[in-house]
Each structure stands twice: as C-alpha cells, then as structure tokens.
Amino acid sequence: LGLLTVDGMAASSVIEGSFTTVKYLEFLQSTVLLMCSPYPGLLSVLVMDNMKIHHGEGVVELIEAYGELLCLI
C-alpha cells in the first residue's frame, strides 16, 4: 500500500496477507494523514479507487477529521 504524490512515493506499507479496513485506518492515521495538511494546503486531496478497504467504515470520517478533501474514483 502506498502514498503516491506528484513528487513520487511518499509513504508505503507492506504486510503479510491482505490489508483490512482496520489496518488501512492505522496506515492512514499513523502515516498518511500526518503528512497531509487541511484543504487547500499541500497534500490536502486524497484520491482513492474503489478498493473495498477504501470504502470501509470510518475511512471518510477519519480523513475529514484531519481536514483533507476526499475523492473516490
């Protein structure tokens, strides 16, 4: 799992097995969201595809709590 920016790979995580929503939330909170800033600042828009963990319970709420803008494609 990784955080890709216009400047390249900014963060990543590798685990044995599959990412669950809980593990994804931990990655977001402990790594990704700490690197972001509230919208419209630098790294303030997160774009995610339709992967199941991106739509897990609590994901939208966590991202919005940090002030980022979320785009699901």
Side-chain angles (χ1 to χ4, degrees):
L1 192 63
L3 171 63
L4 183 62
T5 71
V6 295
D7 295 322
M9 186 67 73
S12 64
S13 180
V14 177
I15 64 168
E16 188 173 330
S18 300
F19 264 93
T20 63
T21 299
V22 171
K23 291 178 184 176
Y24 181 61
L25 286 169
E26 290 172 2
F27 175 67
L28 281 175
Q29 190 165 26
S30 67
T31 306
V32 174
L33 295 173
L34 297 178
M35 301 173 72
C36 297
S37 60
Y39 183 81
L42 186 63
L43 297 177
S44 64
V45 177
L46 297 176
V47 178
M48 298 185 284
D49 62 15
N50 64 350
M51 188 173 183
K52 187 174 181 176
I53 61 172
H54 293 163
H55 297 273
E57 186 175 334
V59 172
V60 172
E61 293 83 0
L62 177 63
I63 292 169
E64 289 177 347
Y66 277 78
E68 278 79 45
L69 183 64
L70 175 62
C71 298
L72 294 171
I73 56 170

